[in-house]
Amino acid sequence: MNYSLKVDDTEIKTGTFTSSVVVTEAEIVAKSSGQGQKSFVLEVTDVAGNTGISSAVIVTVDLTAPTGSVTVPTYSTSTTFNATIAGSDTGGATLS
């Protein structure tokens, strides 16, 4: 059987189907429109020409690293002090 893996209707990988299809992040990014939500569909064709198409699977590709910071006093004579940590991600997750 032959297969065609499509992301957002763009064919990114083809070959002979055995039991699974492996695709790397680099293949997805190189042949699709970067990051964001992607719709994956697998199309398989047997030797008789019959074609089956999978249901779409939605995956979010996030290539932007989260940010973080730590703030501490520059000088303190006390044995205790407060430190502030903060972080954020464009995907909506936050830490504070």
Side-chain angles (χ1 to χ4, degrees), residues 6 13 26 29-30 32 41 58 66 73 76 78-79 85 93 95:
K6 297 179 180 181
K13 194 167 193 175
V29 173
S32 70
V41 175
I58 306 299
S76 176
S78 174
T79 57
I85 62 169
L95 168 70

Side-chain angles (χ1 to χ4, degrees), residues 36-59:
Q37 284 195 333
K38 305 294 176 191
S39 174
F40 285 75
V41 175
L42 183 66
E43 187 175 295
V44 182
T45 306
D46 65 16
V47 293
N50 300 309
T51 299
I53 300 173
S54 72
S55 298
V57 175
I58 306 299
V59 175

Side-chain angles (χ1 to χ4, degrees), residues 21-86:
V21 176
V22 177
V23 62
T24 66
E25 179 183 315
E27 290 173 301
I28 296 167
V29 173
K31 296 182 180 180
S32 70
S33 59
Q35 62 184 8
Q37 284 195 333
K38 305 294 176 191
S39 174
F40 285 75
V41 175
L42 183 66
E43 187 175 295
V44 182
T45 306
D46 65 16
V47 293
N50 300 309
T51 299
I53 300 173
S54 72
S55 298
V57 175
I58 306 299
V59 175
T60 300
V61 177
D62 180 5
L63 304 174
T64 305
T67 60
S69 65
V70 177
T71 306
V72 294
T74 55
Y75 177 78
S76 176
T77 58
S78 174
T79 57
T80 62
F81 60 90
N82 292 326
T84 303
I85 62 169

